Amino acid sequence: MATTVPKIKFREPQIEMAHGAGGKASRRLVEGLFVPLLFEPASGPLGDAAHIQINGTRIAMTTDAFVVNPLRFPGGSIGDLAINGTVNDLAVSGARAEAIVITFVLEAGLPTDILEDEVRAIANAAVQAGVRIAGGDTKVVEHGKADRMYITTTGIGRLIPGVTISPQSVKPGDRILLSGPIGDHGVTILLARGELDLEAEVKSDTRSVLPMVESTVRAAGSGIRWMRDPTRGGVATSLNELARDCGLGIVLREDCVPVRDAVRGACELLGLDPLHIANEGQFLAVVARDQSDAALAALRATPGGAEARMIGEVREQPAETVLAATSYGGSRVVDMLVGDPLPRIC
Amino acid sequence: MCLAIPGKIVEFDLQNPQLAMVDVVGVRRKVDLGLLQDDPLQAGDWVLIHVGFAMSKISEADAADQMRTLAILGEKEAAMEEVRGYGLENESSPGGTRGFVS
Amino acid sequence: MRFVDEFRSPELIGKAGEEIRRLADPRRHYRIMEVCGGHTHAIYRFGLKDLLPSNVELIHGPGCPVCVLPMGRIDDGLSLTEHPDFIFAAFGDMMRVPGTHGSPLERKARGMDVRIVYSPADALKLARCNPQRHVVFFAIGFETTAPSTALTIMRAKTEGVRNFSVFCNHVTIIPAIRAILDSPDMRLDGFVGPGHVSTVIGCRPYEWIAKDEGKPVVVSGFEPLDILQSIVMLLRQLRDGEAHVENQYKRVVPWEGNRAALRAMAEVFELRPYFEWRGLGFISQSALKIRAAFAEWDSEQRFSVPGIRVTDPKAAQCGEVLKGVLKPSQCKLFARECTPEQPIGALMVSSEGSCAAYYNYQHHKPVTIANAAAD
């Protein structure tokens, strides 16, 4: 029996923060170490959730880890991220979350009232999102580890009929929808850390995108080729992954990408690009051209989707590249970052 | 070296008049006005901010002037070309060492 | 955003583009250098090259204070803060720049206390909040940033904050421009001058470029309209055979500069007899050091640094790219051994380094908006 020896391409001597940032370094780690060792060669591109066949039924399954500092921030907390993030991963894979199991890794010395706040947040978020908590686990580690609290989740869900996500089905001419303004979450966290001494009326956009996904599917399900929630690494990373997975090019219309004023102001001050900043309550969808207007209209009519925009389209060339075009004819490549976006002064 | 953003002075720090709260489309930061101590500043003035320090007071008049010039870009040139075509050489550009010339 | 959005008006940008095409003599090939890395970044970010005719070429200059720092200085700075009693504070721009034993972020991953600050004032605040630790602020930048460091040092002295010192790597722009003009491989027609440096030093320091070298200089802002208008002004001078200094960025740049900023710099800093610039070699009177009166706030006078010179790998052509002699893509290591993920030289790490800008933003054919999606 012939066995193929998995080829490890990840050669870096140690793990850096960049490996968790969702950008190029993360990709290298996943594609160079995890994929060769853990996945069967023919698995195809990795998505937000896995769709597995058990006893003739397909279910969706996803897992996620939540590591955020500070634990509470304007707009939500780690508990909200845990539930909404899991529901969203399932939603953009075309599934409705049914149940979530949660693990808490708690740092010894964590005040119980903080833990209780998070458990309440999780309970509320689960009710809002229409998902039940089916179980969980707890570990406690020594003081100094676990940054007060880490949460991991595993969610399972039922496939939403009428939509099949496949990057290979993306075609030139397809259009790209974005559910709402970008950059809110990442900028909120950056400011909430307090190191930059900036005040702004920004808050995290953490929420379940399932209602918006469902109404988009109802309006244009057969035309939806691909969806993703642009979390760490932002819209730029998600679209770059798509471009590579489908082998086509993407052109964004810069002035169509919605960004709130305060987020824009913070990004200009710090030299950050909103396209690289994490979101926790938005999703991207690639929709066939002739159904894209219906999809956008449905999205905008859904509570929470009023600010949805069509932000670009798929093209044959330049292949595997994301471009942002200005309204005066200039364009630039929008690449994935190596690690987290860093403020700059130059 | 070069990232500097315009912001509006909202209010001065009561304890330290060299510091002021400056607003950039809703984002606020305490900015040090120490490099503009020779200039009279008041709330509502716009300043250019770099690494948390105000570098220069922004001249609204010069900005408006520039916009006007940009709006007619090309038109004056075209007019001047016509004039040159008549052989009238007395149209002298006052040179550029004192600021920009349209 | 006021004073920003107006200078991004698509209609006016279109007009400025047309004016450039009208002015550019098809028989000439114009080589214009933008000195400042911030302009390099803006040119790529706004896709301005797409708006220029093919005979107007923009050459990227050495005005990137991160790019010109020799690796030895990064090693020196990091060596100061190896002890757990120390905190290394620097701008985000510095965090991924490779030192011999890793970049600041890599050192952070291995246990060094490394903090990103937006302002030198934030580094001083860190010192006030951590009285048991010593904060070393790794200062970089041209004359735009040096006055802020100077004021911060003055404030530290006035307040008696003793657990704070600055590792000073401020450099000055004029010697860099001189090095470019002295370079025999360089043929340039004019300069887009550094707008924010000029808010401090004013426009006079560039007069020798026009008078002695016969090249026009237009001090420019950073929005698309600013840069395009500056190119218009340069092309006009070149058409008329003129060479003088003009101030396009009048709304912000005073001709005489900022006296208070220059005073602060003069009080705290003096010129080093010479300083090594990555790619340009040793240049005299080109960098700032902290005066003896503020010795207590000078990391180099308080502590000892190894001061070992680290030369770039032979294959790396950072110097020629810095001077604009080579395009980034012409360096043998570009996009092969040297990428933003594994940078060899600082030009690939710094967001305004020409190699990073080229790699990240390298433009394709202009995209017509008519067939790009719109609502």
Side-chain angles (χ1 to χ4, degrees):
Chain A
M1 186 169 68
T3 42
T4 45
V5 176
K7 192 141 181 265
I8 315 284
K9 287 169 284 182
F10 185 76
R11 296 257 163 263
E12 291 152 65
Q14 65 177 39
I15 296 302
E16 309 287 350
M17 292 303 291
H19 292 118
K24 287 181 179 171
S26 296
R27 256 179 101 88
R28 277 206 309 276
L29 174 62
V30 170
E31 292 175 5
L33 183 64
F34 298 152
V35 167
L37 288 179
L38 300 176
F39 295 92
E40 282 156 18
S43 326
L46 299 173
D48 292 285
H51 290 190
I52 304 171
Q53 188 111 335
I54 299 182
N55 284 350
T57 309
R58 285 184 77 79
I59 61 160
M61 185 165 149
T62 191
T63 188
D64 216 333
F66 299 90
V67 169
V68 67
N69 171 35
L71 294 179
R72 309 213 124 240
F73 39 83
S77 68
I78 189 173
D80 294 298
L81 298 183
I83 296 301
N84 293 329
T86 312
V87 168
N88 292 347
D89 272 347
L90 288 167
V92 298
S93 80
R96 188 175 300 124
E98 291 288 336
I100 296 181
V101 290
I102 308 182
T103 296
F104 292 94
V105 177
L106 304 170
E107 182 184 348
L110 175 72
T112 318
D113 55 346
I114 290 184
L115 177 59
E116 186 178 329
D117 283 343
E118 288 319 314
V119 178
R120 285 187 194 283
I122 287 169
N124 285 333
V127 166
Q128 295 267 344
V131 68
R132 70 190 152 97
I133 310 297
D137 187 40
T138 310
K139 292 284 179 290
V140 179
V141 294
E142 285 161 8
H143 180 65
K145 321 243 157 126
D147 244 343
R148 309 174 102 202
M149 178 189 313
Y150 297 152
I151 297 179
T152 66
T153 58
T154 298
I156 60 168
R158 204 196 288 264
L159 301 202
I160 299 170
V163 62
T164 310
I165 304 299
S166 160
Q168 283 85 0
S169 66
V170 172
K171 292 177 182 26
D174 288 348
R175 296 172 105 191
I176 301 172
L177 269 76
L178 173 60
S179 58
I182 57 170
D184 291 22
H185 179 77
V187 168
T188 299
I189 297 298
L190 199 53
L191 300 193
R193 291 206 184 114
E195 293 157 353
L196 298 169
D197 247 337
L198 294 177
E199 293 164 22
E201 302 272 302
V202 286
K203 57 185 182 124
S204 171
D205 59 347
T206 178
R207 61 178 175 170
S208 160
V209 300
L210 182 60
M212 289 189 291
V213 168
E214 288 187 305
S215 57
T216 312
V217 170
R218 273 193 298 274
S222 55
I224 299 178
R225 321 274 206 210
W226 173 94
M227 291 190 286
R228 181 143 300 165
D229 56 338
T231 51
R232 282 189 95 162
V235 166
T237 298
S238 298
L239 291 179
N240 268 285
E241 286 171 345
L242 171 65
R244 276 160 184 75
D245 288 345
C246 71
L248 297 169
I250 293 174
V251 177
L252 297 179
R253 174 75 182 269
E254 188 116 59
D255 54 0
C256 290
V257 177
V259 182
R260 293 193 206 287
D261 277 351
V263 171
R264 186 179 169 210
C267 287
E268 292 274 357
L269 259 171
L270 299 172
L272 301 171
D273 182 349
L275 289 173
H276 290 122
I277 303 204
N279 310 280
E280 290 289 334
Q282 307 299 342
F283 77 101
L284 288 158
V286 172
V287 185
R289 191 175 204 88
D290 55 1
Q291 289 171 278
S292 54
D293 288 332
L296 182 61
L299 196 43
R300 283 187 168 164
T302 311
E307 292 165 287
R309 299 290 298 265
M310 201 85 76
I311 62 166
E313 65 175 26
V314 179
R315 302 236 182 132
E316 193 85 51
Q317 295 293 335
E320 300 192 14
T321 306
V322 178
L323 292 185
T326 62
S327 46
Y328 44 82
S331 71
R332 63 179 173 106
V333 171
V334 178
D335 204 354
M336 271 198 265
L337 290 188
V338 175
D340 281 311
L342 298 175
R344 59 185 179 92
I345 63 115
C346 284
Chain B
M1 151 178 159
C2 291
L3 190 61
I5 300 294
K8 185 158 81 166
I9 297 179
V10 176
E11 59 189 2
F12 294 88
D13 187 315
L14 295 166
Q15 273 138 0
N16 183 351
Q18 292 232 309
L19 294 179
M21 196 60 103
V22 173
D23 178 289
V24 178
V25 282
V27 182
R28 293 182 170 200
R29 156 124 195 162
K30 274 252 164 72
V31 168
D32 195 315
L33 304 175
L35 299 175
L36 297 182
Q37 52 190 257
D38 294 349
D39 299 300
L41 291 172
Q42 50 198 22
D45 282 344
W46 284 79
V47 291
L48 189 72
I49 309 159
H50 172 71
V51 305
F53 285 74
M55 305 300 300
S56 173
K57 184 172 156 186
I58 301 180
S59 161
E60 309 202 27
D62 283 322
D65 204 38
Q66 183 184 358
M67 292 310 295
R68 274 192 291 274
T69 305
L70 287 165
I72 58 164
L73 200 59
E75 293 171 38
K76 194 164 177 192
E77 271 296 301
M80 281 178 67
E81 272 168 18
E82 235 186 275
V83 168
R84 278 199 212 104
Y86 295 147
L88 301 167
E89 307 291 45
N90 60 355
E91 184 86 38
S92 55
S93 308
T97 51
R98 283 293 149 216
F100 127 85
V101 166
S102 62
Chain C
M1 277 181 73
R2 189 131 181 246
F3 298 114
V4 168
D5 291 337
E6 314 88 291
F7 299 101
R8 297 184 188 180
S9 148
E11 189 209 327
L12 294 179
I13 289 172
K15 275 194 163 182
E18 276 165 31
E19 184 69 358
I20 290 173
R21 279 186 287 283
R22 187 166 34 231
L23 283 166
D25 182 342
R27 296 162 301 180
R28 287 181 76 163
H29 184 88
Y30 302 89
R31 289 167 60 88
I32 293 171
M33 174 172 277
E34 92 276 354
V35 175
C36 166
H39 280 134
T40 308
H41 186 95
I43 286 162
Y44 279 103
R45 176 189 171 184
F46 297 116
L48 296 181
K49 281 190 172 188
D50 295 340
L51 305 177
L52 300 177
S54 54
N55 62 333
V56 176
E57 191 185 346
L58 292 175
I59 315 284
H60 308 313
C64 165
V66 173
C67 304
V68 298
L69 257 192
M71 197 186 278
R73 288 296 284 180
I74 295 151
D75 291 343
D76 286 345
L78 289 167
S79 75
L80 286 166
T81 50
E82 275 163 352
H83 194 276
D85 285 346
F86 284 77
I87 297 177
F88 178 95
F91 300 133
D93 314 58
M94 283 306 303
M95 288 294 146
R96 294 209 176 95
V97 181
T100 307
H101 309 290
S103 68
L105 266 190
E106 286 168 343
R107 299 293 290 269
K108 181 176 177 153
R110 299 203 293 267
M112 184 182 280
D113 193 341
V114 172
R115 314 277 181 106
I116 299 177
V117 291
Y118 164 72
S119 167
D122 295 343
L124 180 57
K125 185 174 159 196
L126 264 179
R128 280 192 218 103
C129 296
N130 292 275
Q132 307 305 322
R133 322 267 302 286
H134 184 98
V135 175
V136 171
F137 174 60
F138 192 106
I140 55 157
F142 285 88
E143 292 95 326
T144 327
T145 321
S148 304
T149 305
L151 265 196
T152 303
I153 292 174
M154 286 161 66
R155 300 209 190 301
K157 182 170 183 177
T158 314
E159 292 173 32
V161 179
R162 305 227 114 77
N163 58 323
F164 174 77
S165 64
V166 173
F167 184 59
C168 182
N169 295 287
H170 286 300
V171 283
T172 55
I173 195 69
I174 297 298
I177 301 177
R178 242 183 244 285
I180 300 294
L181 285 167
D182 286 345
S183 174
D185 328 283
M186 223 25 320
R187 186 189 70 74
L188 291 171
D189 296 302
F191 290 89
V192 170
H196 292 143
V197 165
S198 306
T199 62
V200 174
I201 68 175
C203 300
R204 282 196 189 289
Y206 311 111
E207 283 174 348
W208 62 276
I209 302 172
K211 282 204 193 72
D212 306 338
E213 303 283 336
K215 317 272 182 209
V217 178
V218 176
V219 175
S220 174
F222 292 80
E223 298 303 328
L225 271 178
D226 289 320
I227 298 171
L228 292 174
Q229 186 176 32
S230 301
I231 296 173
V232 166
M233 290 160 71
L234 280 168
L235 290 176
R236 283 199 185 127
Q237 288 200 47
L238 289 169
R239 175 198 63 190
D240 298 339
E242 289 171 4
H244 32 250
V245 181
E246 292 188 80
N247 183 3
Q248 181 277 338
Y249 202 14
K250 271 178 70 187
R251 64 187 185 276
V252 148
V253 173
W255 192 267
E256 302 296 334
N258 179 330
R259 291 225 168 79
L262 292 167
R263 272 200 316 268
M265 279 175 63
E267 185 172 334
V268 175
F269 298 122
E270 57 191 357
L271 281 169
R272 296 179 191 264
Y274 55 84
F275 191 71
E276 186 182 4
W277 290 55
R278 192 166 196 166
L280 299 177
F282 285 90
I283 306 183
S284 61
Q285 315 272 305
S286 64
L288 302 178
K289 81 192 234 304
I290 298 169
R291 288 185 188 275
F294 296 92
E296 189 153 349
W297 293 274
D298 181 354
S299 310
E300 282 176 283
Q301 292 184 65
R302 256 179 99 159
F303 310 107
S304 63
V305 291
I308 299 171
R309 277 196 68 215
V310 180
T311 44
D312 285 333
K314 282 187 92 132
Q317 295 169 284
C318 306
E320 282 116 308
V321 177
L322 251 177
K323 286 189 282 201
V325 171
L326 282 186
K327 288 204 195 322
S329 50
Q330 293 170 308
C331 169
K332 295 187 192 63
L333 303 184
F334 179 80
R336 296 190 188 84
E337 291 88 337
C338 187
T339 63
E341 302 155 67
Q342 277 135 343
I344 299 211
L347 281 81
M348 189 56 91
V349 174
S350 169
S351 54
E352 53 172 36
S354 28
C355 296
Y358 210 81
Y359 188 100
N360 286 322
Y361 296 119
Q362 60 194 106
H363 63 288
H364 299 252
K365 288 209 285 287
V367 172
T368 44
I369 289 303
N371 48 14
D375 282 330

